[in-house]
Amino acid sequence: MDNYHRVVWEDTHEIINASLPWETLQDKTVLITGANGFISTYLVYTLLSLNDIYNTNVHIVGMVRDICRARERFFDVINRDDFEIIVQDVCEPIIYKSNVDFIFHSAANATPATTHSNPIGTLRTSYLGTDNVLSFASEKNASMVYLSSYAVYGENRPGTDENSFGSSDCFKSGTCYTESKRIGEALCQAYFSSNKAKIFVARIGTVIGPGITIGGNHHISDFLSNVLEQKNIVVYSDGTPVRSYISTNDLTIALFTMLIRGQHGNVYNVSSENLTIQNIAELFLTHNMNSDARITHIINPSHKSMTGVQDATIDANRLKNAGWEPSTTIRTAIRRMIDCYRV
């Protein structure tokens, strides 16, 4: 077993120790769109761990576009009877004849590199894809968690709760991701208010964990690349912007908390720690095997990983009131992420 899968299995075995009524999932079918994504992978392996340890008998359906990538990502479980992979573009009407009880909708173009190179695809995936998933959820009478982003708040103020929004220039390059998530949420609200779907919306902070795309023009993936290549940590700002962060472990528990304990039609922020980008760079630097490596700053407004937003933080009290509490520090999340890539 490679380091990535070892870390994921270890993490999901910890996740299922969370104090949740997992029996709610007994004998249910769970569909996960965008199953090849690193967050979705944790959802898949968590459900498989529940089956292994608690005999939950969940049937997991992973929807993917790239079957070759799925065979690589899920090579150790792809032949299990409780795990089914269907190959389909979420932008097309979903075809699946069997019953589905719960849905995690995570299919999206999520990395800055992808959104900049394919803005049309980013918007189409969120609009057409989310509409198709909501229509399918309505048809199956399934509860659905929509994985959104705290990017929807735009240029927000620190401590944003679920009812506060800042500005967003929809004609600015790179905002297609923000607007795509906003339109996905608008569709969720429209289906819910029309009594056509049972939905929850997760506005997720910056996620740190195994499986993230290396060097994807995002500060986390870039810092990871710097450490693995034993180079200087390059920060494309002065390091003072503040962001909300969440570990993959805590996010996974949060998503299941919404599904099991949440209130349909509610939006939930998901984050655990607010740190400056400089703080994050310093945490990565402690894992650099090159003792001469240091943090360097490049102030370059044209760099595609820069959003122009100074502080983007969110308040997760609504989810905490539903019984969720983060338990994995960002320091630990960074260490676990790096561990999965080192031989």
Side-chain angles (χ1 to χ4, degrees):
M1 181 181 295
D2 60 21
N3 275 353
Y4 170 73
H5 288 86
R6 174 185 61 80
V7 170
V8 172
W9 276 118
E10 290 173 356
D11 285 353
T12 56
H13 286 171
E14 289 184 12
I15 289 167
I16 65 172
N17 287 325
S19 182
L20 280 173
W22 296 109
E23 63 273 12
T24 303
L25 302 174
Q26 186 72 42
D27 302 322
K28 304 299 185 183
T29 296
V30 180
L31 170 70
I32 302 169
T33 70
N36 282 332
F38 82 105
I39 296 172
S40 301
T41 299
Y42 263 69
L43 295 171
V44 169
Y45 279 92
T46 295
L47 291 168
L48 292 173
S49 292
L50 283 172
N51 286 348
D52 290 343
I53 296 174
Y54 295 145
N55 297 316
T56 315
N57 193 35
V58 179
H59 184 66
I60 305 110
V61 182
M63 180 184 293
V64 302
R65 284 188 301 176
D66 187 341
I67 186 60
C68 293
R69 185 180 173 196
R71 287 175 180 145
E72 180 179 348
R73 174 139 289 195
F74 300 110
F75 77 91
D76 58 335
V77 297
I78 199 165
N79 293 320
R80 288 180 52 147
D81 292 338
D82 54 356
F83 181 41
E84 176 184 3
I85 292 178
I86 59 175
V87 181
Q88 184 177 336
D89 187 338
V90 75
C91 291
E92 301 294 332
I94 298 172
I95 300 173
Y96 187 76
K97 294 182 179 180
S98 299
N99 182 58
V100 171
D101 301 287
F102 302 113
I103 299 171
F104 290 102
H105 177 35
S106 66
N109 290 350
T111 66
T114 304
T115 57
H116 278 275
S117 64
N118 187 15
I120 295 173
T122 299
L123 288 162
R124 282 175 57 87
T125 298
S126 279
Y127 181 71
L128 296 177
T130 303
D131 188 35
N132 286 329
V133 177
L134 284 164
S135 177
F136 179 78
S138 176
E139 172 193 336
K140 300 294 185 180
N141 194 32
S143 292
M144 185 188 105
V145 177
Y146 175 59
L147 276 66
S148 186
S149 167
Y150 73 153
V152 299
Y153 291 113
E155 298 184 16
N156 64 16
R157 57 177 175 77
T160 299
D161 62 22
E162 288 85 354
N163 299 314
S164 303
F165 283 85
S167 62
S168 177
D169 182 355
C170 64
F171 214 71
K172 181 180 178 181
S173 175
T175 58
C176 61
Y177 177 73
T178 298
E179 298 306 316
S180 74
K181 288 301 184 183
R182 284 183 169 185
I183 199 168
E185 288 195 16
L187 281 165
C188 286
Q189 198 282 330
Y191 271 81
F192 175 74
S193 64
S194 301
N195 297 315
K196 290 184 177 180
K198 300 180 292 187
I199 61 96
F200 312 91
V201 173
R203 290 181 183 151
I204 303 167
T206 298
V207 186
I208 298 178
I212 195 170
T213 301
I214 300 175
N217 277 344
H218 183 278
H219 67 282
I220 297 299
S221 57
D222 289 347
F223 293 169
L224 175 61
S225 178
N226 295 155
V227 168
L228 295 176
E229 295 175 7
Q230 300 183 35
K231 295 179 178 179
N232 288 340
I233 307 295
V234 181
V235 179
Y236 288 93
S237 72
D238 62 5
T240 60
V242 181
R243 299 289 183 268
S244 289
Y245 296 91
I246 182 75
S247 72
T248 316
N249 283 22
D250 285 333
L251 171 58
T252 303
I253 296 170
L255 295 174
F256 279 107
T257 299
M258 288 178 213
L259 191 70
I260 294 172
R261 290 181 171 163
Q263 180 178 347
H264 288 132
N266 257 0
V267 176
Y268 296 92
N269 286 339
V270 190
S271 70
S272 62
E273 294 181 47
N274 297 331
L275 299 166
T276 67
I277 292 178
Q278 180 72 18
N279 294 151
I280 294 293
E282 290 168 355
L283 290 173
F284 272 92
L285 185 62
T286 63
H287 295 280
N288 200 319
M289 298 179 71
N290 177 2
S291 60
D292 294 325
R294 57 190 177 88
I295 297 171
T296 62
H297 295 267
I298 298 177
I299 312 300
N300 179 9
S302 67
H303 190 266
K304 291 181 179 180
S305 68
M306 297 184 69
T307 64
V309 178
Q310 178 63 23
D311 294 336
T313 60
I314 51 177
D315 180 319
N317 283 330
R318 178 179 290 177
L319 185 58
K320 290 178 180 179
N321 289 336
W324 172 80
E325 281 292 340
S327 60
T328 302
T329 66
I330 297 306
R331 179 184 293 274
T332 299
I334 289 172
R335 176 180 57 79
R336 295 290 283 169
M337 180 173 62
I338 294 172
D339 283 351
C340 86
Y341 289 103
R342 282 190 170 150
V343 178

